Amino acid sequence: MNYLEMVGHLHQLCGVSGPAPATVLGQTGERARLVGWIRRAWDMIQAQSPAWLWMQAEFSFQAVVGQRNYSLVEAGILSRFRRWDVESFRCFLTSTGVPDEQFLVHWDYPILRDTYLLGSQSTNQSRPVVFAIEPQSRSIVLADIPDQAYTVRGRYFKGAQTLVADADIPEMPDDYHWAIIYRAMMMYANYESAGDVMAEGVSGYRPLMVQLSGDQLPAVNCGSEAWA
């Protein structure tokens, strides 16, 4: 379901008079509020957990001989980066392939700096076995410096998707798009003091969010706190 279709459903369920918006762009008055409530509802759902599966992505890059630090761009991440999944990093000798793959151990940056970036140790080249994240740039720091070409891969958490255009589709599974509409109904009901609309929104939103949590959160994080 795209952004415009969700606005149309919200318009119908809230009993707003007149035709539904033909576009999400350039609206004013009540139709602008409908558009805004859908966008805000999606923002709020994304913000309710840092671990939604649809907000995780894979990265992979080739670490080259003699280069210790790798920026977000060098790791192939061009936009919507939130943070690294530091438990997922691994690397393998590119010429050997995946059978050579080993996990990289995450260290806090000050510890890596004081161990591997000290004196003669700072120029050592061998297979990387640990890494850290440089706090300011969020770049990947490998230790030791690669002595050959290695493929480094893992996962990262994406920043929130913002709905802008009519055809924009929320990235979470299609089965749960109605949760956005129900959450927007609750905002409409707060604004209009519409108790019946609030009741319908709550009754639709809560069970869908329980299902979404079970489907799109790690088992240890599933539960009502994802939608409270």
Side-chain angles (χ1 to χ4, degrees):
M1 197 183 319
N2 66 36
Y3 190 8
L4 181 60
E5 290 169 337
M6 289 188 292
V7 171
H9 286 301
L10 179 63
H11 178 277
Q12 180 181 14
L13 289 170
C14 293
V16 178
S17 60
T23 178
V24 299
L25 303 175
Q27 296 296 333
T28 59
E30 181 129 60
R31 283 162 179 75
R33 288 192 289 273
L34 297 177
V35 168
W37 284 323
I38 289 290
R39 182 177 61 251
R40 178 60 180 150
W42 175 227
D43 291 345
M44 293 174 69
I45 288 172
Q46 292 178 94
Q48 282 171 2
S49 173
W52 293 121
L53 295 181
W54 76 79
M55 296 183 74
Q56 300 179 36
E58 304 282 341
F59 74 89
S60 178
F61 67 92
Q62 184 164 293
V64 298
V65 177
Q67 182 175 339
R68 185 191 296 281
N69 289 39
Y70 295 86
S71 68
L72 292 172
V73 172
E74 289 171 314
I77 302 172
L78 303 179
S79 65
R80 290 183 53 200
F81 175 85
R82 175 174 289 169
R83 62 182 176 87
W84 299 107
D85 178 358
V86 296
E87 302 300 323
S88 70
F89 280 49
R90 58 201 73 193
C91 82
F92 58 85
L93 188 61
T94 303
S95 61
T96 302
V98 173
D100 176 67
E101 190 167 53
Q102 300 175 19
F103 277 106
L104 290 170
V105 178
H106 175 244
W107 283 14
D108 289 338
Y109 180 74
I111 297 174
L112 184 143
R113 179 194 60 210
D114 292 345
T115 303
Y116 286 95
L117 305 183
L118 181 66
S120 61
Q121 185 71 26
S122 65
T123 60
N124 282 358
Q125 294 190 16
S126 65
R127 180 181 185 128
V129 293
V130 303
F131 75 99
I133 304 302
E134 201 283 319
Q136 297 301 316
S137 66
R138 298 181 291 184
S139 61
I140 298 168
V141 184
L142 298 177
D144 276 325
I145 300 169
D147 61 337
Q148 301 182 62
Y150 294 90
T151 298
V152 178
R153 62 180 184 168
R155 296 179 67 80
Y156 69 96
F157 296 89
K158 297 189 294 183
Q161 174 197 23
T162 300
L163 298 177
V164 177
D166 292 346
D168 287 352
I169 297 174
E171 292 175 348
M172 72 177 179
D174 294 350
D175 291 349
Y176 306 107
H177 285 180
W178 274 95
I180 302 170
I181 299 168
Y182 287 130
R183 186 66 185 87
M185 288 177 66
M186 294 159 65
M187 297 181 202
Y188 170 91
N190 275 330
Y191 184 83
E192 298 287 353
S193 299
D196 54 341
V197 176
M198 176 64 77
E200 185 176 354
V202 170
S203 66
Y205 179 70
R206 288 185 170 177
L208 271 179
M209 289 303 293
V210 170
Q211 295 171 38
L212 178 63
S213 298
D215 184 42
Q216 291 290 305
L217 288 178
V220 68
N221 289 331
C222 290
S224 61
E225 69 273 9
W227 50 261

